[in-house]
Amino acid sequence: MKVATEVADALDYAHRHRVIHRDIKPENVLLHDGRPMIADFGIALAVSAATGGRMTETGLSLGTPHYMSPGIDSTPRALTSTASIQESFSPGDRWIAYTSDESGQPEVYVRPFPAWEGRLQISTDGGTEPIWSHGGGKIFYWDGTNRMVAATVSTQPTLAVTGRRVLFDASPYLDGRFWRAYDVTPDDQRFVMIRTARSVERCDAILVQNFIEELIARTQESATSTERAVR
């Protein structure tokens, strides 16, 4: 809450100086000595009193699509003629992976964004919960038999699947149904998943106060201990 409040104060300061960031997301909020700093004003709207120049106009959207507020796109378009869920943008936001049942069963597809023309089916035996690798060269998804699969994709000269590899049995873990219930670490080497406890006699709710401050303190302690061990 403290970080969110200070980010809001920084945005208010920028707005009062007629500068609009237009791309607020976690990657553009940096922590320095425990205080947030807003970075990357690369696509900010600076209203010039001298020229009156603007970077925005009706029908034009700026920013990272999956961090935009709902309804900001003035020309919404359906991914498919049937239901589509669990959308995931590629690094750079040029492609969007999603789950659709247009073939009669859930499968993973990819479309270009924002061009939208054409689509490529990624899964071959059922597929849900797609997520792009941070490197952009793979799409991870659950197949129809609850296995985690990595599909290698190429976007040049055209979008194509160049290989698929089963990574592990994902049946012990919770699937999201209508949302993605897992994530991938930044190095694309590990998965963060939810597993149901075998037996639970009691369930306790734990409230952590001042979470950000405690996280920073523990991170600094860990770094100090690592430095001492190296020495």
Side-chain angles (χ1 to χ4, degrees), residues 37-101:
M37 301 179 65
I38 299 178
D40 193 1
F41 278 78
I43 63 170
L45 167 62
V47 181
S48 170
T51 63
R54 296 177 64 91
M55 289 176 58
T56 58
E57 60 185 54
T58 302
L60 176 64
S61 298
L62 296 175
T64 304
H66 44 294
Y67 287 106
M68 290 181 177
S69 59
I72 197 169
D73 187 349
S74 60
T75 56
R77 290 163 290 184
L79 283 172
T80 70
S81 58
T82 58
S84 61
I85 56 175
Q86 303 169 337
E87 296 84 357
S88 173
F89 282 92
S90 66
D93 304 316
R94 294 188 59 246
W95 306 92
I96 180 171
Y98 60 95
T99 301
S100 173
D101 60 357

Side-chain angles (χ1 to χ4, degrees), residues 99-121:
T99 301
S100 173
D101 60 357
E102 58 189 271
S103 67
Q105 70 172 351
E107 298 282 3
V108 174
Y109 298 87
V110 168
R111 284 184 181 271
F113 182 87
W116 226 253
E117 289 81 11
R119 62 157 175 72
L120 176 68
Q121 183 172 330

Side-chain angles (χ1 to χ4, degrees), residues 159-170:
L159 182 65
V161 178
T162 59
R164 297 179 183 86
R165 184 166 66 96
V166 175
L167 300 180
F168 57 88
D169 177 19

Side-chain angles (χ1 to χ4, degrees), residues 120-122 124 136-139 150-165:
L120 176 68
Q121 183 172 330
I122 302 299
T124 58
K138 290 184 175 64
I139 297 176
T152 303
V153 294
S154 172
T155 58
Q156 298 295 334
T158 58
L159 182 65
V161 178
T162 59
R164 297 179 183 86
R165 184 166 66 96

